[in-house]
Amino acid sequence: MLNGKARAYTNIALIKYWGKEDPELILPKNNSLSLTLDGFFTETEVLFSKNFTQDVFYLDGMEQSRNATKKVSTFLDLVRKRANCPFFAVIHSHNHVPTAAGLASSASGLAALAGACNQALALNLSPKELSQLARRGSGSACRSIFGGFVEWERGHSDATSYAVPIDAQGWEKELAMVFVLINDQPKDISSREGMQRTVETSAFYPQWVEEAQTDLQLAKAAIQAHDFQKLGIAMEANGLKMHATTLAATPPFTYWSPDSLRAMTIVRTLRQEGIPCYFTMDAGPNVKILCQKKNVQAIQAALAASFAEKQIIAAYPGPGIQFVETEVTK
Ligand code: DP6
């Protein structure tokens, strides 16, 4: 029996990945920068066997449809080719989120799957190689191989596109991210679909690619200088630019909801009151607030006037991928 198990944590981009240069290899148009968090993770076990007649994917104990299994199977095909292994697999994946948060993320999911396959088929990949492999499943997954601040270097080929950790000398431990969970419905337009439409049709897209480069340099300089305000300003501006591209797509779309705007207003008010905090959003209405750990309680209290307690979750910088012992490997 060939089996392996891994745990990967979700990451949130401060400087976004938004658009592919090569959709087949998942090479991005621009570098991105993220923070891996301890709050949400996926644990995945994979089992390859000559006795299986197809790939079967269980998510939180529920067998998934053929359609939902396709992304996983396509990824497994890559791994099978690499390991010269002809067997189908059974995959058990568990998303650990504090509540039904709608935060099940392809980043932690595909990173954990890559790690589990590495283990099961004894691929012996280095962290860099594992990041390259995870990228083929979902772009943002390549960043979840590492903890803390991470940069995904876009590269120009399969071998040169991977994530690298950014050494902030432990400064990240002073930071936190407060999640405002606006809606736990599956998103209407996936990030994959949304970024493709934007690349193909948005008049603002070329500008985005240029701006993202500048924002990334600002964010990296802020991390090196341990300058929270500069980092927050660069992050918030970058997220807004990403979301601006969607409004100029054909047909236009937005991930924002009225509640997202309410959360943004609270963040701006907090800043006026002297609490530095900054927001970002991804391909859904949830708002993520980057702040200093010491201000988490004040931010939670301000949000509590408009949102239910279970909608507000604080997360802290987390580790990179972890391999978990299985009954068979023990
Ligand atoms: C908005 O990594 O989910 O969260 O590569 O097509 O699987 P695919 O996309 P995915 O996109 C994430 C987009 C984002 C920004 C980010 O995480 O950088």
Side-chain angles (χ1 to χ4, degrees):
M1 199 73 96
L2 302 165
N3 76 332
K5 190 170 181 178
R7 170 191 288 201
Y9 293 79
T10 221
N11 73 75
I12 297 297
L14 311 190
I15 304 299
K16 307 294 182 192
Y17 148 50
W18 194 243
K20 295 176 179 68
E21 180 67 33
D22 183 330
E24 168 75 26
L25 293 175
I26 311 201
L27 303 179
K29 290 273 191 186
N30 61 280
N31 286 23
S32 52
L33 188 156
S34 60
L35 185 60
T36 302
L37 296 167
D38 68 348
F40 321 105
F41 62 88
T42 305
E43 217 164 61
T44 296
E45 180 162 15
V46 65
L47 208 90
F48 291 90
S49 165
K50 65 175 180 350
N51 299 324
F52 300 149
T53 50
Q54 60 178 2
D55 293 326
V56 184
F57 175 36
Y58 295 89
L59 183 57
D60 295 324
M62 300 239 303
E63 185 175 340
Q64 301 295 295
S65 66
R66 291 320 301 156
N67 205 26
T69 308
K70 227 162 110 192
K71 192 169 179 179
V72 168
S73 270
T74 308
F75 181 77
L76 289 177
D77 286 343
L78 267 176
V79 173
R80 281 189 274 256
K81 204 169 154 197
R82 187 163 186 153
N84 207 4
C85 164
F87 304 151
F88 287 109
V90 171
I91 304 105
H92 285 276
S93 201
H94 291 273
N95 280 323
H96 294 257
V97 291
T99 53
L103 279 171
S105 121
S106 61
S108 58
L110 270 298
L113 181 61
C117 290
N118 180 43
Q119 196 86 327
L121 300 175
L123 293 172
N124 290 319
L125 300 181
S126 66
K128 176 176 126 178
E129 291 167 325
L130 201 52
S131 175
Q132 287 164 344
L133 179 64
R135 190 200 80 232
R136 298 292 299 271
S138 186
S140 53
C142 78
R143 299 185 309 236
S144 275
I145 302 302
F146 301 101
F149 287 115
V150 179
E151 180 178 359
W152 174 9
E153 294 175 353
R154 62 182 288 258
H156 46 76
S157 62
D158 190 22
T160 53
S161 186
Y162 50 83
V164 290
I166 296 176
D167 183 7
Q169 294 95 33
W171 178 60
E172 69 277 7
K173 294 197 187 79
E174 292 174 26
L175 308 181
M177 202 169 256
V178 178
F179 285 68
V180 188
L181 307 174
I182 308 279
N183 164 342
D184 56 12
Q185 303 304 309
K187 49 192 171 193
D188 295 337
I189 304 176
S190 68
S191 37
R192 187 160 291 189
E193 216 182 313
M195 69 174 84
Q196 187 185 350
R197 189 190 297 177
T198 309
V199 173
E200 287 170 1
T201 67
S202 176
F204 296 169
Y205 192 74
Q207 194 66 28
W208 155 261
V209 179
E210 263 181 50
E211 296 279 324
Q213 258 169 36
T214 318
D215 292 341
L216 185 100
Q217 293 316 322
L218 289 172
K220 278 171 77 172
I223 291 169
Q224 291 317 326
H226 299 179
D227 188 327
F228 177 70
Q229 207 169 339
K230 280 207 176 114
L231 179 62
I233 290 170
M235 178 196 80
E236 193 171 291
N238 182 264
L240 288 168
K241 287 174 212 172
M242 175 200 128
H243 287 273
T245 65
T246 70
L247 295 176
T250 311
F253 65 105
T254 184
Y255 291 111
W256 295 10
S257 75
D259 275 350
S260 317
L261 288 161
R262 278 209 295 164
M264 291 180 198
T265 304
I266 293 169
V267 169
R268 292 191 181 106
T269 307
L270 278 162
R271 280 210 295 265
Q272 277 162 11
E273 289 167 355
I275 296 176
C277 55
Y278 299 86
F279 63 79
T280 190
M281 287 176 63
D282 293 292
N286 296 330
V287 174
K288 293 117 190 181
I289 305 170
L290 183 68
C291 63
Q292 288 155 305
K293 221 176 189 172
K294 62 182 181 197
N295 290 323
V296 165
Q297 279 185 350
I299 292 166
Q300 282 175 320
L303 290 164
S306 299
F307 296 97
E309 205 181 317
K310 65 175 193 332
Q311 288 180 277
I312 308 166
I313 296 167
Y316 301 91
I321 193 160
Q322 295 170 355
F323 296 102
V324 184
E325 282 204 358
T326 61
E327 289 309 314
V328 184
T329 52
K330 251 184 232 171

